[in-house]
Amino acid sequence: MADLDCTVDLGRGLRLRTPVLTASGTFAYGFDAPLVDRGALGAIVTKGTTLRPRSGNSPARIAETPSGMLNAIGLQNPGVDAVRREYAPRWAAWDLPVIVNVAGDRLEDYVEVVRRLDGVPGVSGIELNVSCPNVAAGMQFGVDARLAAQLTAAVRAATSLHLMVKLTPNVTELVPIARAVADAGADSVSAVNTYVGMAIDLRRRRPVLANEVGGLSGPAIKPLALHAVWEVVPAVSIPVVGMGGISGPQDALEFLLAGAAAVQLGTVNYVNPNAAREVLDGIRGYALERGWSDLRPFPLRASPVPSHA
Amino acid sequence: MADLDCTVDLGRGLRLRTPVLTASGTFAYGFDAPLVDRGALGAIVTKGTTLRPRSGNSPARIAETPSGMLNAIGLQNPGVDAVRREYAPRWAAWDLPVIVNVAGDRLEDYVEVVRRLDGVPGVSGIELNVSCPNVAAGMQFGVDARLAAQLTAAVRAATSLHLMVKLTPNVTELVPIARAVADAGADSVSAVNTYVGMAIDLRRRRPVLANEVGGLSGPAIKPLALHAVWEVVPAVSIPVVGMGGISGPQDALEFLLAGAAAVQLGTVNYVNPNAAREVLDGIRGYALERGWSDLRPFPLRASPVPSHA
Amino acid sequence: MSVAVLARATVVARSAPMEGAVELVVLDPAAANIAQPGQFFQMGVEAPHTLLPRPYSVAAVDPDRGRLGFLFSVVGAGSAWLSSLEPGDRVRLIGPLGRGFTPSPGAAPICVGGGLGIAPLVALSAWLVAAGRRPVVLQGAREAARLLPADRFPGARILTATDDSSAGWPGSVVGLLETVAAREQEWFVCGPTPMLQAVIGLADALGLPRQRIQIALETPMGCGVGTCLGCVTPAAAGGYLLACQDGPCVRADRVDWSRVEDAFHG
Amino acid sequence: MSVAVLARATVVARSAPMEGAVELVVLDPAAANIAQPGQFFQMGVEAPHTLLPRPYSVAAVDPDRGRLGFLFSVVGAGSAWLSSLEPGDRVRLIGPLGRGFTPSPGAAPICVGGGLGIAPLVALSAWLVAAGRRPVVLQGAREAARLLPADRFPGARILTATDDSSAGWPGSVVGLLETVAAREQEWFVCGPTPMLQAVIGLADALGLPRQRIQIALETPMGCGVGTCLGCVTPAAAGGYLLACQDGPCVRADRVDWSRVEDAFHG
Ligand SMILES: Cc1cc2nc3c(=O)[nH]c(=O)nc-3n(C[C@H](O)[C@H](O)[C@H](O)COP(=O)(O)OP(=O)(O)OC[C@H]3O[C@@H](n4cnc5c(N)ncnc54)[C@H](O)[C@@H]3O)c2cc1C
Ligand SMILES: Cc1cc2nc3c(=O)[nH]c(=O)nc-3n(C[C@H](O)[C@H](O)[C@H](O)COP(=O)(O)OP(=O)(O)OC[C@H]3O[C@@H](n4cnc5c(N)ncnc54)[C@H](O)[C@@H]3O)c2cc1C
Ligand SMILES: Cc1cc2nc3c(=O)[nH]c(=O)nc-3n(C[C@H](O)[C@H](O)[C@H](O)COP(=O)(O)O)c2cc1C
Ligand SMILES: Cc1cc2nc3c(=O)[nH]c(=O)nc-3n(C[C@H](O)[C@H](O)[C@H](O)COP(=O)(O)O)c2cc1C
Ligand code: FES
Ligand code: FES
């Protein structure tokens, strides 16, 4: 059987051997999920990383909901310096690109984190988390096109790495924000982060999460996330990396048909460590059945003409 | 066993014998769901009603998603005149208040529909659907605080009926919109309508719904809807009627603890015609176990002082 | 409508009467007493991540023993869950729902089923025989192994067609229908959309009036009772029919076949 | 960590060894070969609307027959689904995960279990006996019927306590522990948070160093492997311990008990 060329070029030197990535916060820094078949992965996206170490929110931090889960981890991470000193050297020995997800409260912090990662062997790209809903003021950049563009431009100036900007779906209109970050120099956008939700403990009569609110992920959000990708794809001329509730090959195929260049798997990693392999096999099967030799025929709609190609 | 006083006063003469309502679009005009125990209901909310009859969208109109469903009915309804001539007289004979859900594209249409319902025996209230995501331009009022207030004020002037304004959750910030409609004269707000989503048919390679996008309802959205109610309750001094994904007593209790004065049951009616009865029994059990004599002790947080009481 | 009941019915038998199909027999005396051929039930499924009940035509009605029979294929999570039920297990049933077939006294009844579309016709055939009629049942399937055995239609004349020519008429069941079609007949049809369209084409060519054809519609369903407006099929009179309330069994002249393409999900 | 395996294990037995509890024995030879008392497995559940796997301590390890035993109560949809499994059914298992108990050679081992907290201690007791030790097992429950029979702890000395005084020591298992507590012991504890806190209080009062107590933590879990950071318990050193990676079995001195109130969900 002829095999499929599964490579994806996200731009600025970030070439993936497969369109299947792990999503930030669901794979830590790539060392703790031995059951996942790395051969199926195109890249790893790390936990959100901040300038200084953070210990995160009090428990409870997670709660199951119908076909979903809420999380309010609160960006627990060892800080960028630990990442570049301890983790990056190990990543440099891998044949798998690592994209560091970067978070912060202030523009200067984001820029500084990215500056410290720039040129570090083992770091292949940045995913800018403008959308973490769990830190006070963490929403500010992602919900406002002007601020999101400002942040993107500032970070763009600080690195020559591939810059992926991760969109929050908790907005009235996603398209203007996607356009703004694309125009400000993002190489790709990823969509979407979690949806703000909550759960209440009937017995204790208080919110289940210590943080009260959290981000919803998992199959429950798939129709919403797919719609977000469907909207953003024709609006921007850079690749869109889709995610949100992908639980297997069929969901991933829906995102590719909607025009996503690649997909990220998040919560499903907790449920089924084989998911990445199954998704890749499913993509292969679907494409080969249709006689395709690469991933280009996937999108149902023609892409817009690149504005800066 | 002492029984619970389950009545809810939503204001402007709309007094409900129980805090359990059916949600718009999931109970038609109240004649087609004989298996539902009406004795458990505090009111019925009708299908979205427009000035002129509408035949709605082409099929497929619905699709199941993980713990949820998408719909794009497109406001199929017989128009306000048929409602007041054919249905209202039948409602007038019931001991159950009927709230007519009103939809439209233009402000004038909304006002005219409400005007024609004002004073009609059998009609006990209006739920203003400023949020139907399925009709071209149907989003405009609900996502903008100024427009939502304008519409509310115009409709307020056209009726002395109880006016409930139904919020769409597809916005960056719900609170300013809730405040705006409260200030413009709404007697209550209901939250929330469906979340915009989609599904793609892998075999046919096109969106499952003829309308491409649809509104997501069902258990999947419960954590999101609950959060919306949690946010809106302390921001307004009028009652909030909560809904979104309630699938049984526990979900309903979460909404009441979040501060909802009553709840609406939507998609669950399709799944379990006993839901309204089970929800009411669950509320009773929870309250009586705690020795409460009415529903007032439910909210976890104190209510804001009414601004126009 | 108002006679539908809600039951936690007990499964009394599960079998595989033909390849690719499962038959479930459940105990639901109140419903068995009133169910008519062509009506359907909403069956609750408890599979992961599913929500809505699944609509299934009643394939057998036995009021004396209080039993209902269903015949279905496993196509997704819901039907897979139903197929895993064993005698003694419980399943939530709402029904009977919708309008069944309404055979007219005069015309010769021809039942035409494609694939699992045969399900409602099993019940209809039994009803017709009990009423002293002698229906002709035309059953089409991909291959011989996927045909319901002829002894499931006692008292009927049964003809078969297979796509792979492994049994009966070689090819489509509509081809087979053409060989027996006559103007004084009444047709009862259930199957995939292209088959329905071919049947309509054949009737038109033959001069059989469309009102002499009754179709069991199959659309996605939310509520099953007329409250969600999700189950529409284009109506000849303009607007839409509700499969759950105006159907599932409708006279073919009530459907606007030119707009029907989009009406079917599966 | 890296030895965990993913299996579709076959259920070989299900029973109800005491009231309110289900015992499931599954065949998973690779895991049975390596699992240690105190480690846990993520068990996939296929109940409606559920998503995450459920963490369960291994209660019995039989490498010779490739079997693992689990002991649990039905508290929600996931455990209800697990309790419905029958011999021959399959269940998805990831494990063994986390750190088990690490008994030190010198001290006298006392196992203290409250309610279903007894589960990991069944495995630990068996392991200690096999290692030639003679553990004392203190088992507390609401009532006599909810005690695991003493013959489940062959070779151990077993003492019981019941809240309703229907068997053994009348009252809490911590009260019972007080009657046998001594400084040269090592305690292995699993149970609800208030019980853990009472045990810590008792040890402090007695002068038993906290590092001589090992606690099996119970927190909500997402991944079970250290990637979600959801399963935290306040650490004495500041910040948090991960129950799945630093535990579930941790030395009590590593936990900041003053901040622990919020750490437990159930
Ligand atoms: C009135 C009526 C009677 C029916 N009678 C029978 C019967 O007797 N035997 C039989 O095998 N099938 C019958 N069907 C089709 C049957 O309902 C579907 O095969 C079944 O719902 C598929 O569910 P699933 O979870 O296995 O598939 P999935 O594809 O996982 O279902 C996903 C969603 O799509 C809906 N869906 C999928 N396929 C269909 C379809 N063909 N028609 C309607 N909805 C669909 C499901 O109900 C569900 O909501 C009937 C359908 C209708 C409307
Ligand atoms: C390391 C570890 C070992 C455990 N070992 C056992 C055991 O041997 N026997 C036993 O009976 N129980 C044990 N538990 C508790 C068991 O995991 C829960 O009872 C179970 O997850 C409940 O799932 P449910 O779907 O029935 O309940 P639900 O309340 O419906 O579950 C909803 C969500 O909350 C989580 N949850 C609910 N209760 C708990 C809890 N007490 N601890 C952690 N998460 C919870 C579930 O995993 C699920 O994600 C253990 C927990 C942990 C963390
Ligand atoms: C426990 C958890 C932690 C997460 N942490 C981060 C994070 O640090 N940064 C980020 O951008 N997204 C984070 N996410 C969001 C995911 O990357 C992803 O956008 C989201 O979960 C939707 O995808 P899914 O439904 O496949 O999980 C986290 C998600 C979960 C469940
Ligand atoms: C099929 C369907 C039709 C609906 N039609 C309307 C409508 O006409 N007007 C309206 O305001 N909301 C409508 N809704 C939204 C519901 O009233 C409710 O807000 C939403 O479904 C969330 O609640 P649920 O999850 O309990 O269903 C509809 C929902 C469904 C599922
Ligand atoms: S299925 Fe809901 S109206 Fe027909
Ligand atoms: S359960 Fe995910 S880090 Fe412990």
Side-chain angles (χ1 to χ4, degrees):
Chain A
M1 190 175 66
D3 202 24
L4 189 75
D5 174 5
C6 275
T7 55
V8 179
D9 191 344
L10 288 182
R12 203 176 295 259
L14 187 57
R15 237 181 117 75
L16 313 177
R17 66 189 176 204
T18 87
V20 186
L21 291 75
T22 56
S24 176
T26 66
F27 214 67
Y29 289 94
F31 309 111
D32 300 299
L35 290 172
V36 174
D37 175 0
R38 272 136 209 273
L41 295 176
I44 284 172
V45 182
T46 72
K47 176 68 191 162
T49 299
T50 53
L51 189 53
R52 268 166 263 291
R54 293 205 193 193
S55 57
N57 293 331
S58 298
R61 290 180 173 183
I62 58 174
E64 194 182 63
T65 68
S67 295
M69 70 177 276
L70 291 164
N71 88 80
I73 306 301
L75 285 177
Q76 175 175 340
N77 81 96
V80 65
D81 291 333
V83 167
R84 63 176 183 166
R85 284 198 212 119
E86 289 161 40
Y87 301 156
R90 296 167 69 185
W91 297 334
W94 293 357
D95 63 345
L96 186 59
V98 175
I99 299 169
V100 179
N101 181 283
V102 172
D105 299 331
R106 302 180 317 140
L107 185 141
E108 299 73 38
D109 291 357
Y110 274 103
V111 171
E112 184 56 25
V113 173
V114 170
R115 216 186 46 71
R116 293 191 195 179
L117 292 168
D118 194 48
V120 172
V123 177
S124 297
I126 301 292
E127 183 180 55
L128 209 60
N129 174 7
V130 296
S131 48
C132 178
N134 301 324
V135 181
M139 290 280 283
Q140 59 189 0
F141 295 104
V143 301
D144 183 294
R146 205 178 45 83
L147 288 176
Q150 228 168 51
L151 179 65
T152 305
V155 166
R156 169 78 291 162
T159 185
S160 55
L161 287 167
H162 178 97
L163 179 60
M164 184 184 296
V165 177
K166 185 166 181 180
L167 304 175
T168 171
N170 300 292
V171 297
T172 308
E173 287 190 284
L174 200 51
V175 162
I177 299 168
R179 283 215 183 98
V181 303
D183 290 345
D187 298 308
S188 62
V189 292
S190 51
V192 292
N193 213 311
T194 52
Y195 290 76
V196 187
M198 81 178 300
I200 291 178
D201 185 321
L202 299 180
R203 197 168 51 79
R204 303 190 185 199
R205 297 176 47 72
R206 67 182 191 206
V208 171
L209 302 177
N211 189 54
E212 293 195 354
V213 311
L216 184 66
S217 64
I221 67 168
K222 194 210 69 183
L224 309 182
L226 183 67
H227 174 251
V229 168
W230 178 259
E231 274 199 321
V232 168
V233 163
V236 298
S237 56
I238 54 177
V240 176
V241 177
M243 86 191 89
I246 295 177
S247 69
Q250 304 205 338
D251 297 327
L253 288 166
E254 286 188 74
F255 278 87
L256 296 181
L257 293 173
V263 293
Q264 294 187 17
L265 308 188
T267 305
V268 69
N269 292 309
Y270 308 155
V271 181
N272 175 15
N274 264 339
R277 167 55 60 194
E278 290 169 12
V279 164
L280 183 62
D281 290 348
I283 293 170
R284 266 218 184 85
Y286 188 90
L288 292 174
E289 217 171 86
R290 283 161 178 76
W292 302 346
S293 57
D294 57 36
L295 303 176
R296 279 175 305 176
F298 262 102
L300 298 183
R301 297 163 305 171
S303 311
V305 180
S307 65
H308 44 84
Chain B
M1 190 172 69
D3 202 25
L4 190 74
D5 173 5
C6 275
T7 55
V8 179
D9 190 346
L10 289 181
R12 205 176 294 259
L14 188 57
R15 236 182 118 74
L16 313 178
R17 65 187 178 206
T18 87
V20 185
L21 291 74
T22 56
S24 175
T26 65
F27 214 66
Y29 289 93
F31 309 109
D32 301 299
L35 291 172
V36 174
D37 174 359
R38 273 135 208 271
L41 295 177
I44 285 173
V45 183
T46 72
K47 176 68 189 163
T49 299
T50 53
L51 189 53
R52 269 165 263 290
R54 294 206 193 193
S55 59
N57 292 329
S58 299
R61 291 180 174 185
I62 59 173
E64 194 183 64
T65 69
S67 294
M69 70 176 277
L70 291 165
N71 88 79
I73 306 302
L75 284 178
Q76 175 175 339
N77 81 94
V80 66
D81 290 332
V83 167
R84 62 175 183 165
R85 282 199 213 118
E86 289 160 41
Y87 301 157
R90 296 168 67 186
W91 297 334
W94 294 355
D95 63 345
L96 187 59
V98 175
I99 299 169
V100 178
N101 182 281
V102 171
D105 300 330
R106 302 179 317 140
L107 186 140
E108 298 72 37
D109 292 357
Y110 275 103
V111 171
E112 184 56 25
V113 173
V114 171
R115 216 187 45 72
R116 294 193 194 177
L117 292 168
D118 194 48
V120 173
V123 176
S124 298
I126 300 292
E127 184 181 56
L128 208 61
N129 175 8
V130 296
S131 48
C132 178
N134 301 324
V135 181
M139 289 279 285
Q140 59 190 1
F141 296 104
V143 301
D144 183 294
R146 206 177 43 84
L147 288 177
Q150 228 167 52
L151 179 64
T152 304
V155 166
R156 169 76 293 162
T159 185
S160 55
L161 287 168
H162 178 98
L163 179 60
M164 185 184 295
V165 177
K166 184 165 179 180
L167 304 175
T168 170
N170 299 291
V171 297
T172 309
E173 287 189 282
L174 199 51
V175 162
I177 298 167
R179 282 214 183 99
V181 302
D183 290 344
D187 298 307
S188 63
V189 292
S190 52
V192 292
N193 212 310
T194 53
Y195 290 76
V196 186
M198 81 179 299
I200 291 177
D201 186 322
L202 299 179
R203 195 169 53 80
R204 303 190 186 197
R205 298 176 48 70
R206 67 180 190 208
V208 171
L209 301 177
N211 189 54
E212 292 195 354
V213 311
L216 185 66
S217 64
I221 67 167
K222 194 209 67 180
L224 309 181
L226 182 67
H227 174 251
V229 169
W230 179 259
E231 274 199 321
V232 168
V233 163
V236 297
S237 55
I238 54 177
V240 176
V241 177
M243 87 191 89
I246 295 177
S247 69
Q250 305 205 337
D251 297 327
L253 288 166
E254 286 189 74
F255 278 87
L256 295 183
L257 292 173
V263 294
Q264 292 187 18
L265 307 188
T267 305
V268 70
N269 293 310
Y270 309 155
V271 180
N272 175 15
N274 265 338
R277 167 56 57 193
E278 291 169 11
V279 164
L280 183 62
D281 290 348
I283 292 171
R284 263 216 187 88
Y286 189 90
L288 292 176
E289 217 172 86
R290 285 163 179 76
W292 302 346
S293 55
D294 57 36
L295 303 175
R296 279 175 305 176
F298 262 103
L300 298 183
R301 299 162 303 172
S303 311
V305 180
S307 65
H308 45 84
Chain C
M1 291 279 81
S2 53
V3 290
V5 292
L6 168 68
R8 275 187 66 77
T10 304
V11 174
V12 293
R14 181 188 61 183
S15 61
M18 73 251 215
E19 204 168 307
V22 177
E23 184 180 40
L24 221 49
V25 181
V26 306
L27 201 64
D28 184 354
N33 228 14
I34 52 177
Q36 300 294 326
Q39 287 190 301
F40 70 101
F41 284 76
Q42 289 278 72
M43 302 186 80
V45 297
E46 292 168 33
H49 308 307
T50 62
L51 175 63
L52 299 169
R54 302 317 199 224
Y56 284 101
S57 305
V58 62
V61 185
D62 181 348
D64 296 339
R65 294 197 295 168
R67 291 176 175 197
L68 299 169
F70 298 93
L71 196 62
F72 60 94
S73 56
V74 173
V75 300
S79 46
W81 185 84
L82 288 168
S83 77
S84 76
L85 292 176
E86 284 170 18
D89 288 344
R90 295 293 195 93
V91 59
R92 210 146 29 84
L93 282 193
I94 303 171
L97 297 167
R99 295 173 199 273
F101 293 112
T102 49
S104 40
I110 314 286
C111 303
V112 190
L116 264 294
I118 197 65
L121 302 172
V122 183
L124 178 64
S125 170
W127 187 94
L128 287 165
V129 170
R133 315 277 300 270
R134 183 149 192 248
V136 178
V137 177
L138 311 186
Q139 190 189 176
R142 242 189 292 154
E143 46 176 355
R146 289 173 186 271
L147 288 166
L148 191 62
D151 61 14
R152 292 305 194 101
F153 304 90
R157 207 177 123 212
I158 165 105
L159 298 171
T160 60
T162 53
D163 295 340
D164 73 348
S165 311
S166 51
W169 174 266
S172 134
V173 70
V174 185
L176 174 60
L177 174 60
E178 199 170 353
T179 68
V180 303
R183 290 221 202 157
E184 63 284 3
Q185 296 167 344
E186 186 170 44
W187 297 353
F188 303 93
V189 189
C190 186
T193 305
M195 173 193 139
L196 302 181
Q197 281 163 324
V199 167
I200 299 301
L202 174 60
D204 290 354
L206 186 74
L208 183 86
R210 288 188 182 180
Q211 55 264 45
R212 295 268 284 285
I213 308 174
Q214 291 180 28
I215 306 276
L217 294 171
E218 206 175 289
T219 72
M221 285 190 172
C223 64
V225 297
T227 57
C228 78
L229 310 182
C231 61
V232 290
T233 292
Y240 297 100
L241 301 171
L242 293 182
C244 71
Q245 215 176 43
D246 302 311
C249 299
V250 296
R251 265 180 18 209
D253 61 314
R254 297 196 59 204
V255 174
D256 179 351
W257 294 96
S258 72
R259 289 193 290 144
V260 113
E261 190 196 358
D262 270 345
F264 295 84
H265 180 63
Chain D
M1 291 283 81
S2 53
V3 290
V5 292
L6 169 67
R8 275 186 66 78
T10 304
V11 173
V12 293
R14 181 188 61 180
S15 60
M18 73 253 215
E19 203 169 308
V22 176
E23 184 179 41
L24 220 50
V25 181
V26 306
L27 201 64
D28 184 353
N33 227 13
I34 51 177
Q36 300 292 325
Q39 287 190 302
F40 70 101
F41 284 76
Q42 288 278 73
M43 302 187 81
V45 296
E46 292 168 35
H49 309 305
T50 63
L51 175 64
L52 299 168
R54 303 310 198 230
Y56 284 101
S57 305
V58 61
V61 185
D62 180 349
D64 296 339
R65 294 196 294 168
R67 292 176 174 197
L68 299 169
F70 298 93
L71 195 62
F72 61 94
S73 56
V74 173
V75 300
S79 46
W81 185 85
L82 288 168
S83 77
S84 77
L85 292 176
E86 284 169 19
D89 288 343
R90 296 294 196 89
V91 59
R92 209 147 28 83
L93 283 192
I94 303 172
L97 297 168
R99 294 172 202 276
F101 293 111
T102 50
S104 41
I110 315 287
C111 302
V112 189
L116 264 293
I118 198 66
L121 302 172
V122 183
L124 177 64
S125 170
W127 186 94
L128 287 165
V129 170
R133 315 277 300 269
R134 183 147 193 253
V136 178
V137 177
L138 311 187
Q139 191 191 172
R142 239 188 294 154
E143 47 176 352
R146 289 173 186 271
L147 288 166
L148 192 62
D151 61 14
R152 292 304 194 100
F153 304 91
R157 208 178 123 213
I158 165 101
L159 298 171
T160 60
T162 53
D163 295 339
D164 72 348
S165 311
S166 52
W169 174 265
S172 133
V173 71
V174 185
L176 174 61
L177 174 61
E178 200 171 351
T179 68
V180 303
R183 290 222 201 156
E184 62 285 2
Q185 296 168 344
E186 186 170 42
W187 297 353
F188 303 94
V189 189
C190 187
T193 304
M195 172 192 141
L196 301 181
Q197 281 163 324
V199 167
I200 299 301
L202 174 61
D204 290 354
L206 187 75
L208 183 85
R210 288 188 181 182
Q211 57 263 43
R212 295 268 283 288
I213 309 175
Q214 292 180 26
I215 307 275
L217 295 172
E218 206 175 289
T219 72
M221 285 190 171
C223 65
V225 298
T227 56
C228 77
L229 310 181
C231 61
V232 290
T233 291
Y240 296 99
L241 300 171
L242 294 182
C244 73
Q245 213 176 45
D246 301 313
C249 300
V250 296
R251 265 180 17 211
D253 62 315
R254 297 196 60 204
V255 174
D256 179 351
W257 293 96
S258 71
R259 288 194 290 143
V260 115
E261 190 197 355
D262 269 346
F264 295 82
H265 179 64

